[in-house]
Amino acid sequence: MLTLNDEEIALPPISVDPEILSGAPVFRGTRVPVAALLDNLAAGVSLDNFLDNFPTVTREQAIQVLELVKKQNSSEEEIDGIVTAQADDDSKWEKPLQVRPL
């Protein structure tokens, strides 16, 4: 049975290394881009099917990434709503500002 020590549990599920996929964010310990999970889910692929197709990604990693994305998206929606409201109140803006992920 696979066991994880405290240091492994504390690691974020994503790593970025210029030597792996030109620095694209990947699931830690794999060469699977995080974008693959998001693209598959957006295309209607279930999480179970994604994990079957990418066996080096653990369910825990996928769930952690989805929680990070959820947290980031809710923050962006709040910021975008504030920026849009400010833009609507100020006639000098031709169009609302858009907040993009980093």
PDB file of all heavy atoms in Angstrom, residues 59-84:
ATOM      1  N   ARG A  59      -6.380  10.787  -7.585  1.00  0.00           N
ATOM      2  CA  ARG A  59      -7.666  11.449  -7.330  1.00  0.00           C
ATOM      3  C   ARG A  59      -7.470  12.640  -6.394  1.00  0.00           C
ATOM      4  O   ARG A  59      -8.062  13.698  -6.581  1.00  0.00           O
ATOM      5  CB  ARG A  59      -8.658  10.446  -6.727  1.00  0.00           C
ATOM      6  CG  ARG A  59     -10.019  11.057  -6.383  1.00  0.00           C
ATOM      7  CD  ARG A  59     -11.006   9.999  -5.933  1.00  0.00           C
ATOM      8  NE  ARG A  59     -11.303   9.052  -6.988  1.00  0.00           N
ATOM      9  CZ  ARG A  59     -12.179   9.284  -7.982  1.00  0.00           C
ATOM     10  NH1 ARG A  59     -12.849  10.407  -8.017  1.00  0.00           N
ATOM     11  NH2 ARG A  59     -12.390   8.380  -8.910  1.00  0.00           N
ATOM     12  N   GLU A  60      -6.616  12.472  -5.396  1.00  0.00           N
ATOM     13  CA  GLU A  60      -6.368  13.545  -4.435  1.00  0.00           C
ATOM     14  C   GLU A  60      -5.772  14.774  -5.133  1.00  0.00           C
ATOM     15  O   GLU A  60      -6.165  15.902  -4.846  1.00  0.00           O
ATOM     16  CB  GLU A  60      -5.438  13.071  -3.317  1.00  0.00           C
ATOM     17  CG  GLU A  60      -6.079  12.049  -2.388  1.00  0.00           C
ATOM     18  CD  GLU A  60      -6.167  10.637  -2.983  1.00  0.00           C
ATOM     19  OE1 GLU A  60      -5.438  10.321  -3.964  1.00  0.00           O
ATOM     20  OE2 GLU A  60      -6.976   9.852  -2.475  1.00  0.00           O
ATOM     21  N   GLN A  61      -4.828  14.555  -6.054  1.00  0.00           N
ATOM     22  CA  GLN A  61      -4.241  15.667  -6.790  1.00  0.00           C
ATOM     23  C   GLN A  61      -5.310  16.391  -7.610  1.00  0.00           C
ATOM     24  O   GLN A  61      -5.373  17.621  -7.610  1.00  0.00           O
ATOM     25  CB  GLN A  61      -3.141  15.180  -7.742  1.00  0.00           C
ATOM     26  CG  GLN A  61      -1.853  14.799  -7.085  1.00  0.00           C
ATOM     27  CD  GLN A  61      -0.869  14.244  -8.089  1.00  0.00           C
ATOM     28  OE1 GLN A  61      -1.213  13.375  -8.903  1.00  0.00           O
ATOM     29  NE2 GLN A  61       0.359  14.735  -8.025  1.00  0.00           N
ATOM     30  N   ALA A  62      -6.128  15.622  -8.312  1.00  0.00           N
ATOM     31  CA  ALA A  62      -7.159  16.221  -9.156  1.00  0.00           C
ATOM     32  C   ALA A  62      -8.139  17.043  -8.316  1.00  0.00           C
ATOM     33  O   ALA A  62      -8.494  18.164  -8.683  1.00  0.00           O
ATOM     34  CB  ALA A  62      -7.895  15.134  -9.935  1.00  0.00           C
ATOM     35  N   ILE A  63      -8.542  16.497  -7.185  1.00  0.00           N
ATOM     36  CA  ILE A  63      -9.489  17.215  -6.325  1.00  0.00           C
ATOM     37  C   ILE A  63      -8.851  18.481  -5.758  1.00  0.00           C
ATOM     38  O   ILE A  63      -9.484  19.537  -5.713  1.00  0.00           O
ATOM     39  CB  ILE A  63     -10.015  16.287  -5.219  1.00  0.00           C
ATOM     40  CG1 ILE A  63     -10.935  15.236  -5.852  1.00  0.00           C
ATOM     41  CG2 ILE A  63     -10.754  17.070  -4.135  1.00  0.00           C
ATOM     42  CD1 ILE A  63     -11.353  14.127  -4.926  1.00  0.00           C
ATOM     43  N   GLN A  64      -7.577  18.398  -5.359  1.00  0.00           N
ATOM     44  CA  GLN A  64      -6.889  19.591  -4.853  1.00  0.00           C
ATOM     45  C   GLN A  64      -6.825  20.673  -5.925  1.00  0.00           C
ATOM     46  O   GLN A  64      -7.045  21.849  -5.637  1.00  0.00           O
ATOM     47  CB  GLN A  64      -5.470  19.249  -4.396  1.00  0.00           C
ATOM     48  CG  GLN A  64      -5.420  18.521  -3.079  1.00  0.00           C
ATOM     49  CD  GLN A  64      -3.984  18.169  -2.699  1.00  0.00           C
ATOM     50  OE1 GLN A  64      -3.174  17.825  -3.552  1.00  0.00           O
ATOM     51  NE2 GLN A  64      -3.688  18.272  -1.421  1.00  0.00           N
ATOM     52  N   VAL A  65      -6.530  20.291  -7.151  1.00  0.00           N
ATOM     53  CA  VAL A  65      -6.465  21.270  -8.242  1.00  0.00           C
ATOM     54  C   VAL A  65      -7.840  21.888  -8.469  1.00  0.00           C
ATOM     55  O   VAL A  65      -7.976  23.106  -8.625  1.00  0.00           O
ATOM     56  CB  VAL A  65      -5.920  20.625  -9.532  1.00  0.00           C
ATOM     57  CG1 VAL A  65      -6.192  21.506 -10.738  1.00  0.00           C
ATOM     58  CG2 VAL A  65      -4.435  20.356  -9.389  1.00  0.00           C
ATOM     59  N   LEU A  66      -8.878  21.063  -8.468  1.00  0.00           N
ATOM     60  CA  LEU A  66     -10.228  21.604  -8.671  1.00  0.00           C
ATOM     61  C   LEU A  66     -10.622  22.553  -7.548  1.00  0.00           C
ATOM     62  O   LEU A  66     -11.276  23.573  -7.793  1.00  0.00           O
ATOM     63  CB  LEU A  66     -11.238  20.457  -8.798  1.00  0.00           C
ATOM     64  CG  LEU A  66     -11.083  19.613 -10.056  1.00  0.00           C
ATOM     65  CD1 LEU A  66     -12.015  18.411 -10.013  1.00  0.00           C
ATOM     66  CD2 LEU A  66     -11.306  20.445 -11.305  1.00  0.00           C
ATOM     67  N   GLU A  67     -10.203  22.258  -6.329  1.00  0.00           N
ATOM     68  CA  GLU A  67     -10.483  23.167  -5.211  1.00  0.00           C
ATOM     69  C   GLU A  67      -9.727  24.482  -5.386  1.00  0.00           C
ATOM     70  O   GLU A  67     -10.274  25.556  -5.108  1.00  0.00           O
ATOM     71  CB  GLU A  67     -10.127  22.504  -3.886  1.00  0.00           C
ATOM     72  CG  GLU A  67     -11.110  21.414  -3.496  1.00  0.00           C
ATOM     73  CD  GLU A  67     -10.692  20.615  -2.265  1.00  0.00           C
ATOM     74  OE1 GLU A  67      -9.553  20.792  -1.778  1.00  0.00           O
ATOM     75  OE2 GLU A  67     -11.508  19.804  -1.802  1.00  0.00           O
ATOM     76  N   LEU A  68      -8.483  24.412  -5.863  1.00  0.00           N
ATOM     77  CA  LEU A  68      -7.718  25.638  -6.119  1.00  0.00           C
ATOM     78  C   LEU A  68      -8.374  26.468  -7.213  1.00  0.00           C
ATOM     79  O   LEU A  68      -8.485  27.691  -7.100  1.00  0.00           O
ATOM     80  CB  LEU A  68      -6.277  25.302  -6.515  1.00  0.00           C
ATOM     81  CG  LEU A  68      -5.373  24.761  -5.428  1.00  0.00           C
ATOM     82  CD1 LEU A  68      -4.064  24.269  -6.029  1.00  0.00           C
ATOM     83  CD2 LEU A  68      -5.105  25.823  -4.376  1.00  0.00           C
ATOM     84  N   VAL A  69      -8.821  25.812  -8.267  1.00  0.00           N
ATOM     85  CA  VAL A  69      -9.480  26.517  -9.370  1.00  0.00           C
ATOM     86  C   VAL A  69     -10.775  27.147  -8.889  1.00  0.00           C
ATOM     87  O   VAL A  69     -11.084  28.298  -9.217  1.00  0.00           O
ATOM     88  CB  VAL A  69      -9.731  25.560 -10.560  1.00  0.00           C
ATOM     89  CG1 VAL A  69     -10.653  26.189 -11.588  1.00  0.00           C
ATOM     90  CG2 VAL A  69      -8.418  25.148 -11.193  1.00  0.00           C
ATOM     91  N   LYS A  70     -11.521  26.416  -8.088  1.00  0.00           N
ATOM     92  CA  LYS A  70     -12.785  26.942  -7.559  1.00  0.00           C
ATOM     93  C   LYS A  70     -12.526  28.187  -6.716  1.00  0.00           C
ATOM     94  O   LYS A  70     -13.208  29.198  -6.858  1.00  0.00           O
ATOM     95  CB  LYS A  70     -13.494  25.877  -6.721  1.00  0.00           C
ATOM     96  CG  LYS A  70     -14.802  26.327  -6.133  1.00  0.00           C
ATOM     97  CD  LYS A  70     -15.427  25.211  -5.326  1.00  0.00           C
ATOM     98  CE  LYS A  70     -16.669  25.690  -4.618  1.00  0.00           C
ATOM     99  NZ  LYS A  70     -17.251  24.653  -3.772  1.00  0.00           N
ATOM    100  N   LYS A  71     -11.511  28.110  -5.851  1.00  0.00           N
ATOM    101  CA  LYS A  71     -11.179  29.248  -5.003  1.00  0.00           C
ATOM    102  C   LYS A  71     -10.733  30.435  -5.853  1.00  0.00           C
ATOM    103  O   LYS A  71     -11.164  31.558  -5.639  1.00  0.00           O
ATOM    104  CB  LYS A  71     -10.072  28.876  -4.020  1.00  0.00           C
ATOM    105  CG  LYS A  71      -9.691  30.011  -3.083  1.00  0.00           C
ATOM    106  CD  LYS A  71      -8.497  29.666  -2.227  1.00  0.00           C
ATOM    107  CE  LYS A  71      -8.900  28.768  -1.088  1.00  0.00           C
ATOM    108  NZ  LYS A  71      -7.798  28.542  -0.140  1.00  0.00           N
ATOM    109  N   GLN A  72      -9.905  30.182  -6.854  1.00  0.00           N
ATOM    110  CA  GLN A  72      -9.429  31.254  -7.721  1.00  0.00           C
ATOM    111  C   GLN A  72     -10.577  31.868  -8.505  1.00  0.00           C
ATOM    112  O   GLN A  72     -10.683  33.080  -8.609  1.00  0.00           O
ATOM    113  CB  GLN A  72      -8.376  30.730  -8.688  1.00  0.00           C
ATOM    114  CG  GLN A  72      -7.855  31.802  -9.620  1.00  0.00           C
ATOM    115  CD  GLN A  72      -6.844  31.289 -10.606  1.00  0.00           C
ATOM    116  OE1 GLN A  72      -6.472  30.124 -10.580  1.00  0.00           O
ATOM    117  NE2 GLN A  72      -6.401  32.144 -11.488  1.00  0.00           N
ATOM    118  N   ASN A  73     -11.456  31.040  -9.053  1.00  0.00           N
ATOM    119  CA  ASN A  73     -12.570  31.553  -9.843  1.00  0.00           C
ATOM    120  C   ASN A  73     -13.531  32.372  -9.004  1.00  0.00           C
ATOM    121  O   ASN A  73     -14.037  33.391  -9.463  1.00  0.00           O
ATOM    122  CB  ASN A  73     -13.311  30.420 -10.541  1.00  0.00           C
ATOM    123  CG  ASN A  73     -12.573  29.923 -11.745  1.00  0.00           C
ATOM    124  OD1 ASN A  73     -11.685  30.582 -12.262  1.00  0.00           O
ATOM    125  ND2 ASN A  73     -12.920  28.737 -12.196  1.00  0.00           N
ATOM    126  N   SER A  74     -13.801  31.962  -7.776  1.00  0.00           N
ATOM    127  CA  SER A  74     -14.721  32.741  -6.951  1.00  0.00           C
ATOM    128  C   SER A  74     -14.097  34.089  -6.616  1.00  0.00           C
ATOM    129  O   SER A  74     -14.779  35.101  -6.605  1.00  0.00           O
ATOM    130  CB  SER A  74     -15.110  31.983  -5.686  1.00  0.00           C
ATOM    131  OG  SER A  74     -14.000  31.797  -4.843  1.00  0.00           O
ATOM    132  N   SER A  75     -12.804  34.122  -6.391  1.00  0.00           N
ATOM    133  CA  SER A  75     -12.136  35.395  -6.130  1.00  0.00           C
ATOM    134  C   SER A  75     -12.174  36.277  -7.363  1.00  0.00           C
ATOM    135  O   SER A  75     -12.423  37.472  -7.280  1.00  0.00           O
ATOM    136  CB  SER A  75     -10.680  35.165  -5.711  1.00  0.00           C
ATOM    137  OG  SER A  75     -10.627  34.464  -4.505  1.00  0.00           O
ATOM    138  N   GLU A  76     -11.943  35.686  -8.542  1.00  0.00           N
ATOM    139  CA  GLU A  76     -11.970  36.464  -9.775  1.00  0.00           C
ATOM    140  C   GLU A  76     -13.364  37.010 -10.053  1.00  0.00           C
ATOM    141  O   GLU A  76     -13.515  38.137 -10.510  1.00  0.00           O
ATOM    142  CB  GLU A  76     -11.510  35.607 -10.952  1.00  0.00           C
ATOM    143  CG  GLU A  76     -10.025  35.360 -10.948  1.00  0.00           C
ATOM    144  CD  GLU A  76      -9.605  34.444 -12.075  1.00  0.00           C
ATOM    145  OE1 GLU A  76     -10.399  34.203 -13.004  1.00  0.00           O
ATOM    146  OE2 GLU A  76      -8.466  33.969 -12.020  1.00  0.00           O
ATOM    147  N   GLU A  77     -14.394  36.196  -9.788  1.00  0.00           N
ATOM    148  CA  GLU A  77     -15.758  36.665 -10.011  1.00  0.00           C
ATOM    149  C   GLU A  77     -16.078  37.844  -9.105  1.00  0.00           C
ATOM    150  O   GLU A  77     -16.712  38.808  -9.528  1.00  0.00           O
ATOM    151  CB  GLU A  77     -16.754  35.528  -9.782  1.00  0.00           C
ATOM    152  CG  GLU A  77     -16.720  34.471 -10.864  1.00  0.00           C
ATOM    153  CD  GLU A  77     -17.565  33.257 -10.529  1.00  0.00           C
ATOM    154  OE1 GLU A  77     -18.289  33.283  -9.517  1.00  0.00           O
ATOM    155  OE2 GLU A  77     -17.482  32.279 -11.285  1.00  0.00           O
ATOM    156  N   GLU A  78     -15.639  37.788  -7.845  1.00  0.00           N
ATOM    157  CA  GLU A  78     -15.866  38.896  -6.929  1.00  0.00           C
ATOM    158  C   GLU A  78     -15.156  40.147  -7.419  1.00  0.00           C
ATOM    159  O   GLU A  78     -15.726  41.231  -7.452  1.00  0.00           O
ATOM    160  CB  GLU A  78     -15.380  38.537  -5.527  1.00  0.00           C
ATOM    161  CG  GLU A  78     -16.216  37.475  -4.850  1.00  0.00           C
ATOM    162  CD  GLU A  78     -15.590  36.985  -3.553  1.00  0.00           C
ATOM    163  OE1 GLU A  78     -14.650  37.623  -3.057  1.00  0.00           O
ATOM    164  OE2 GLU A  78     -16.048  35.949  -3.044  1.00  0.00           O
ATOM    165  N   ILE A  79     -13.896  39.996  -7.820  1.00  0.00           N
ATOM    166  CA  ILE A  79     -13.120  41.141  -8.313  1.00  0.00           C
ATOM    167  C   ILE A  79     -13.739  41.676  -9.590  1.00  0.00           C
ATOM    168  O   ILE A  79     -13.901  42.881  -9.755  1.00  0.00           O
ATOM    169  CB  ILE A  79     -11.648  40.738  -8.555  1.00  0.00           C
ATOM    170  CG1 ILE A  79     -10.974  40.431  -7.216  1.00  0.00           C
ATOM    171  CG2 ILE A  79     -10.898  41.827  -9.299  1.00  0.00           C
ATOM    172  CD1 ILE A  79      -9.619  39.780  -7.344  1.00  0.00           C
ATOM    173  N   ASP A  80     -14.110  40.773 -10.514  1.00  0.00           N
ATOM    174  CA  ASP A  80     -14.693  41.199 -11.776  1.00  0.00           C
ATOM    175  C   ASP A  80     -15.995  41.958 -11.535  1.00  0.00           C
ATOM    176  O   ASP A  80     -16.263  42.967 -12.183  1.00  0.00           O
ATOM    177  CB  ASP A  80     -14.944  39.988 -12.678  1.00  0.00           C
ATOM    178  CG  ASP A  80     -15.270  40.393 -14.100  1.00  0.00           C
ATOM    179  OD1 ASP A  80     -14.640  41.341 -14.601  1.00  0.00           O
ATOM    180  OD2 ASP A  80     -16.157  39.764 -14.705  1.00  0.00           O
ATOM    181  N   GLY A  81     -16.804  41.491 -10.591  1.00  0.00           N
ATOM    182  CA  GLY A  81     -18.041  42.191 -10.268  1.00  0.00           C
ATOM    183  C   GLY A  81     -17.786  43.591  -9.732  1.00  0.00           C
ATOM    184  O   GLY A  81     -18.470  44.551 -10.094  1.00  0.00           O
ATOM    185  N   ILE A  82     -16.787  43.735  -8.891  1.00  0.00           N
ATOM    186  CA  ILE A  82     -16.434  45.053  -8.342  1.00  0.00           C
ATOM    187  C   ILE A  82     -15.942  45.969  -9.448  1.00  0.00           C
ATOM    188  O   ILE A  82     -16.357  47.122  -9.558  1.00  0.00           O
ATOM    189  CB  ILE A  82     -15.370  44.904  -7.230  1.00  0.00           C
ATOM    190  CG1 ILE A  82     -15.980  44.189  -6.025  1.00  0.00           C
ATOM    191  CG2 ILE A  82     -14.794  46.263  -6.834  1.00  0.00           C
ATOM    192  CD1 ILE A  82     -14.958  43.730  -5.003  1.00  0.00           C
ATOM    193  N   VAL A  83     -15.049  45.456 -10.303  1.00  0.00           N
ATOM    194  CA  VAL A  83     -14.493  46.275 -11.383  1.00  0.00           C
ATOM    195  C   VAL A  83     -15.584  46.684 -12.348  1.00  0.00           C
ATOM    196  O   VAL A  83     -15.657  47.841 -12.776  1.00  0.00           O
ATOM    197  CB  VAL A  83     -13.359  45.513 -12.109  1.00  0.00           C
ATOM    198  CG1 VAL A  83     -12.935  46.238 -13.371  1.00  0.00           C
ATOM    199  CG2 VAL A  83     -12.172  45.337 -11.178  1.00  0.00           C
ATOM    200  N   THR A  84     -16.479  45.759 -12.696  1.00  0.00           N
ATOM    201  CA  THR A  84     -17.567  46.079 -13.615  1.00  0.00           C
ATOM    202  C   THR A  84     -18.489  47.126 -13.017  1.00  0.00           C
ATOM    203  O   THR A  84     -18.905  48.061 -13.704  1.00  0.00           O
ATOM    204  CB  THR A  84     -18.366  44.805 -13.969  1.00  0.00           C
ATOM    205  OG1 THR A  84     -17.474  43.864 -14.560  1.00  0.00           O
ATOM    206  CG2 THR A  84     -19.494  45.110 -14.934  1.00  0.00           C
TER     207      THR A  84
END
